[in-house]
Amino acid sequence: MLPAAAAQPVPAARVLYTLSTECRLQGEAPIPCTVEAVDQGGATLYRHRIGRSIETVRITDEPVTMAIWANDRKEWRPLRGAAARFSTNTICFNGRELCVVNPNYLNSVREDRANTRLQGRDLVMVHFGSDGRVDASCYDDACALLLK
């Protein structure tokens, strides 16, 4: 007899949306890219197709973690940090390693957290620990203070 966990069906991946937008790699000039958001049960994958390369960010639900796929090592690498600027709909990962204009994601973040500390904010930055979980976050002017 199979253990109960083995008998449970694995949720099928489901594309949530596809977005034609702009991305930047390593702080370079923005170039056209496509973002595909894929629901995989306990995680959402954001595949950024930039020219011939694909950069994938994974966000898990419980616990909330963020990681980026390391193509050279073929493994998930926890993110060090992420920043979102709502006025430009821009999200950057690991400084300016990968930046993307993604109003779909940021609008959903605002809707999900309409009555929280994001109300009226423009810049949100988070730092992640070695396990990919949020260690610290800051908002607007406080981020400039922390970066000094």
Side-chain angles (χ1 to χ4, degrees):
M1 181 168 227
L2 290 174
Q8 300 210 358
V10 176
R14 178 174 60 97
V15 175
L16 300 171
Y17 64 84
T18 302
L19 173 70
S20 293
T21 188
E22 290 184 335
C23 295
R24 285 183 285 148
L25 292 172
Q26 307 301 330
E28 296 291 328
I31 59 174
C33 69
T34 302
V35 177
E36 182 180 65
V38 179
D39 179 2
Q40 287 199 316
T44 304
L45 301 181
Y46 294 89
R47 292 189 191 114
H48 304 80
R49 296 178 195 278
I50 309 162
R52 294 182 184 179
S53 69
I54 298 175
E55 299 290 329
T56 305
V57 174
R58 179 183 69 186
I59 303 175
T60 61
D61 296 335
E62 293 183 27
V64 174
T65 63
M66 287 192 172
I68 192 164
W69 181 252
N71 289 313
D72 57 341
R73 294 187 233 152
K74 305 293 185 221
E75 66 183 11
W76 292 105
R77 188 175 39 127
L79 285 173
R80 294 182 314 275
R85 185 162 303 273
F86 290 97
S87 61
T88 60
N89 289 315
T90 304
I91 309 161
C92 290
F93 303 100
N94 289 343
R96 294 180 184 252
E97 185 177 314
L98 169 64
C99 294
V100 60
V101 175
N102 190 335
N104 289 5
Y105 176 72
L106 290 178
N107 286 335
S108 69
V109 167
R110 277 203 161 152
E111 287 172 13
D112 290 347
R113 295 168 180 88
N115 296 319
T116 67
R117 60 189 168 267
L118 290 182
Q119 185 119 9
R121 305 288 190 176
D122 184 44
L123 175 65
V124 178
M125 294 176 74
V126 293
H127 178 271
F128 300 98
S130 60
D131 60 356
R133 294 182 74 182
V134 175
D135 275 350
S137 59
C138 61
Y139 307 92
D140 299 321
D141 293 339
C143 295
L145 292 173
L146 291 177
L147 292 174
K148 285 184 180 180

